[in-house]
Amino acid sequence: MLRTAGLAAIVALGTLGAGAAARAETPGAWADIVPMVFGDRPMQASGVVEIEAPYRAEDAALVPISVSFALPEGDPRRVERVTLVIDENPAPVAAAFEIGEGAGVSRIDGRYRVESYTPIHAVAELSDGSLHVAEDYVKASGGCAAPMGKDPEEALANLGRMKLRQGPADAPGRAEAQVMIRHPNNSGLQMDQLTRHYIPAHFIHTLTVAQGETPILRMEGGISLSEDPNLRFDFRPTGEPIRVRAEDTEGGAFEGEWPFEAAPPA
Amino acid sequence: MRIRMGAVAALLALSAQAEAGEIAPLAVEEVAPGVFVHRGGIALADAANAGDIANAGFVVGEEAVAVIDAGGGPGIGEALVAAVRAETDRPIRHLVLTHMHPDHVLGAGALGRAAPEAEIVGHAKLPRALAARAEHYLATARREVGAALAEDVEIVLPERLVEGEATLDLGGRRLRLTAWPTAHTDNDLTVLDEATGTLFAGDLLFMEHLPVIDGSLRGWLGAMEALSMVGAERVVPGHGPAVAPWPEALAPQRAYLEALAANVRRLIDGGATLAEAVEAAPAPEGDWALVDAFHRRNVTTAYAELEWE
């Protein structure tokens, strides 16, 4: 089975360059991306995976996009991997999520940068190798080339700070968690007019969440992730502590561990 | 230091205008003796308004003049100099930029060319903020106001930086400058004319135009507390009427930002996602313009800040 490494795909497609950032919607961007990321395997628009995204983004640098995925009851397969592609972004493969076996993850909310009006695609890979796709559309502009955050001094002072929010989920036997980390996630596409140099890329490339030793999810992400990466997801809790580890492109590594908090009875 | 964009085209354009000798002075009103203010439109920048969407003004001392903010395009910067010349021939000693936003700074290059003696003054964090955003602002100006205007824009960085407080003396007339911690932006500067008790608040005060958060909501709420204690008679807001009574003018903005913070905190505590909060957050109360353009964006900004509490 051909499994394309998510990070390699993100890096490879990360070099589409500034010209790509400036172009208007390119017909067939998706058609170019598919073979690079997924090879020539067929994709089914089967409804296994769904996308929720605002039609028009309020802030192109902070677009909430949710992917949810589920198999029919009794289906012996499981969702192993979900990839989010923002077709017109300079780095279209925004994030690739590996889902822990038995972790019970069915939805992942993230926040992403959107450079221009664009189709977006989510592709779920199942344990039998089949690919299932969903498509949506977002109107936004300038999310990748847009400048640094609002308070870079404060951001630097807090770099790597993590927070975990926990709460109840809708489904029984599930809980919800939100992993947050302060990080500029610099895209490397922004020029500093004082120095006339591009502000170097500095972003979280890997984030893993586990309960005890058991993986819940692993994200490989690129510059299409918003500043201060933020993932909210449901999972099947074991009661073990939640452990998060994030690594960035400068060799920075950040870790956190929190006891699981059962939701109070309704 | 100047960041020149299309400098040659700009110089040609200016010399042609100088020959014609026709730069209509910007319309200003004298809100206090020697204090003049131009009221910008309450609108998004577009080709029709050529970026004239923010207030700007100047103060005339016995020796010199200070201009406060430069407008959102080269035409406004030039017209502001013409407005000064219509009142006095004293030199423009300073151009004070209250913060980085294009509607307050894109006219600075043209103003500086028309009044080369003017020293540009800004918050200590302004150079970095402008350096990071210059390309983005020019691309936005090209798209919103038009390529011709954007071609003429020169983004200029302040030569004199203010940390804490500073004083400018215009000859028997002192202006007190205060650099604020992150509020509307991370580079907000206010100017108090001590002689008349007139406070140029920059975008620390929005009137009529919905306030827009591009810094820190909590920082802005804190700054408003301190600002309300500044002993001024009247205030010149960054957007809205040319002048308003102080500190009463703060009340609508304070109400909006406090309600925003309270509503977003409530939504966060209730487990709403960012997307849900943007949909569910109540609309602003009171009579604000440009709500559709900015409120949901403010909710997004507030959420991303307050969820870290």
Side-chain angles (χ1 to χ4, degrees):
Chain A
M1 179 187 344
L2 193 77
R3 185 192 295 278
T4 311
L7 182 57
I10 289 164
V11 169
L13 287 175
T15 53
L16 284 178
R23 67 174 189 251
E25 194 180 322
T26 314
W30 179 238
D32 291 336
I33 292 165
V34 168
M36 277 196 276
V37 181
F38 304 102
D40 55 7
R41 290 181 287 167
M43 286 190 194
Q44 315 168 38
S46 60
V48 163
V49 61
E50 286 178 1
I51 302 173
E52 215 174 294
Y55 181 63
R56 188 182 296 276
E58 303 301 332
D59 181 345
L62 196 68
V63 183
I65 300 176
S66 187
V67 292
S68 53
F69 36 94
L71 287 164
E73 205 167 308
D75 193 317
R77 301 170 299 174
R78 68 175 194 91
V79 175
E80 288 189 342
R81 191 173 177 84
V82 181
T83 305
L84 178 68
V85 178
I86 303 173
D87 299 12
E88 294 289 328
N89 272 10
V93 181
F97 301 98
E98 244 169 61
I99 312 301
E101 189 164 359
V105 179
S106 72
R107 192 188 93 247
I108 303 172
D109 302 348
R111 294 158 193 194
Y112 304 89
R113 297 174 168 141
V114 178
E115 179 58 18
S116 56
Y117 288 23
T118 180
I120 59 178
H121 290 89
V123 179
E125 179 166 352
L126 269 42
S127 45
D128 67 355
S130 62
L131 297 179
H132 302 254
V133 65
E135 181 178 303
D136 204 334
Y137 194 86
V138 176
K139 285 188 174 186
S141 56
C144 298
M148 62 165 84
K150 304 180 191 323
D151 194 342
E153 196 176 295
E154 185 267 350
L156 196 62
N158 284 281
L159 188 129
R161 182 176 154 213
M162 276 197 202
K163 184 166 173 164
L164 183 79
R165 302 180 76 101
Q166 300 184 52
D170 290 331
R174 288 246 180 83
E176 231 181 54
Q178 182 170 13
V179 169
M180 305 159 57
I181 177 166
R182 295 295 309 274
H183 202 287
N185 254 40
N186 285 335
S187 65
L189 298 176
Q190 185 199 343
M191 180 183 276
D192 178 332
Q193 291 291 344
L194 263 178
T195 63
R196 303 295 298 177
H197 291 134
Y198 281 93
I199 295 168
H202 182 200
F203 58 92
I204 300 275
H205 61 70
T206 307
L207 189 143
T208 58
V209 187
Q211 40 189 346
E213 296 296 315
T214 316
I216 296 176
L217 61 83
R218 174 192 167 91
M219 179 202 76
E220 281 159 5
I223 61 172
S224 291
L225 271 175
S226 298
E227 179 184 14
D228 300 341
N230 191 312
L231 296 180
R232 181 162 165 159
F233 52 90
D234 60 346
F235 68 107
R236 200 170 287 124
T238 60
E240 293 164 290
I242 311 292
R243 298 160 68 195
V244 178
R245 181 179 165 86
E247 290 168 26
D248 75 15
T249 52
E250 294 296 303
F254 315 98
E255 289 184 334
E257 181 168 320
W258 299 262
F260 171 71
E261 288 162 22
Chain B
M1 179 190 173
R2 290 169 179 258
I3 298 169
R4 292 182 184 276
M5 310 279 172
V8 172
L11 285 169
L12 287 175
L14 257 189
S15 61
Q17 270 194 315
E19 276 166 22
E22 295 273 344
I23 299 179
L26 203 62
V28 293
E29 69 181 87
E30 193 169 8
V31 303
V35 181
F36 299 82
V37 176
H38 168 74
R39 188 195 195 305
I42 305 290
L44 301 177
D46 61 28
N49 59 41
D52 186 11
I53 59 167
N55 294 349
F58 57 93
V59 180
V60 182
E62 281 164 34
E63 291 168 18
V65 176
V67 177
I68 297 155
D69 279 341
I76 303 164
E78 287 166 6
L80 205 40
V81 174
V84 172
R85 298 283 175 250
E87 292 297 333
T88 174
D89 49 18
R90 289 163 202 170
I92 299 175
R93 191 176 282 167
H94 309 281
L95 166 62
V96 181
L97 299 176
T98 62
H99 66 292
M100 67 187 182
H101 282 149
D103 48 338
H104 299 255
V105 307
L106 291 194
L111 192 154
R113 292 193 296 270
E117 71 277 15
E119 173 195 60
I120 302 173
V121 186
H123 190 294
K125 291 188 178 182
L126 183 59
R128 168 103 286 131
L130 278 177
R133 288 167 176 77
E135 243 185 315
H136 175 66
Y137 284 167
L138 290 171
T140 304
R142 234 171 262 130
R143 195 177 59 238
E144 292 179 348
V145 191
L149 180 143
E151 234 353 85
D152 278 352
V153 169
E154 194 186 345
I155 293 191
V156 293
L157 303 182
E159 299 142 288
R160 176 155 167 185
L161 304 183
V162 181
E163 254 182 283
E165 303 234 325
T167 304
L168 303 179
D169 194 332
L170 304 179
R173 186 163 205 160
R174 289 165 18 126
L175 300 180
R176 192 174 348 138
L177 275 52
T178 304
W180 292 83
T182 304
H184 168 63
T185 65
D186 75 346
N187 50 84
D188 300 320
L189 198 60
T190 56
V191 182
L192 177 67
D193 171 46
E194 292 182 348
T196 61
T198 304
L199 174 67
F200 283 79
D203 278 6
L204 279 183
L205 177 59
F206 278 73
M207 298 178 74
E208 296 175 20
H209 181 312
L210 191 75
V212 181
I213 308 165
D214 195 19
S216 162
L217 172 57
R218 283 172 304 170
W220 201 348
L221 287 166
M224 275 195 295
E225 277 310 302
L227 203 60
S228 68
M229 294 190 279
V230 168
E233 296 287 316
R234 68 190 65 76
V235 64
V236 178
H239 299 263
V243 68
W246 185 255
E248 299 94 304
L250 263 178
Q253 174 178 280
R254 177 187 266 130
Y256 171 68
L257 293 177
E258 285 180 351
L260 180 69
N263 287 328
V264 172
R265 281 181 175 128
R266 183 177 43 79
L267 286 162
I268 290 171
D269 290 344
T273 64
L274 171 57
E276 288 166 348
V278 169
E279 292 303 315
E285 295 192 7
D287 199 12
W288 293 106
L290 301 174
V291 170
D292 287 348
F294 292 114
H295 178 62
R296 287 160 62 104
R297 190 192 176 95
N298 282 340
V299 173
T300 300
T301 303
Y303 188 106
E305 179 182 341
L306 297 178
E307 67 181 339
W308 282 94
E309 284 183 321

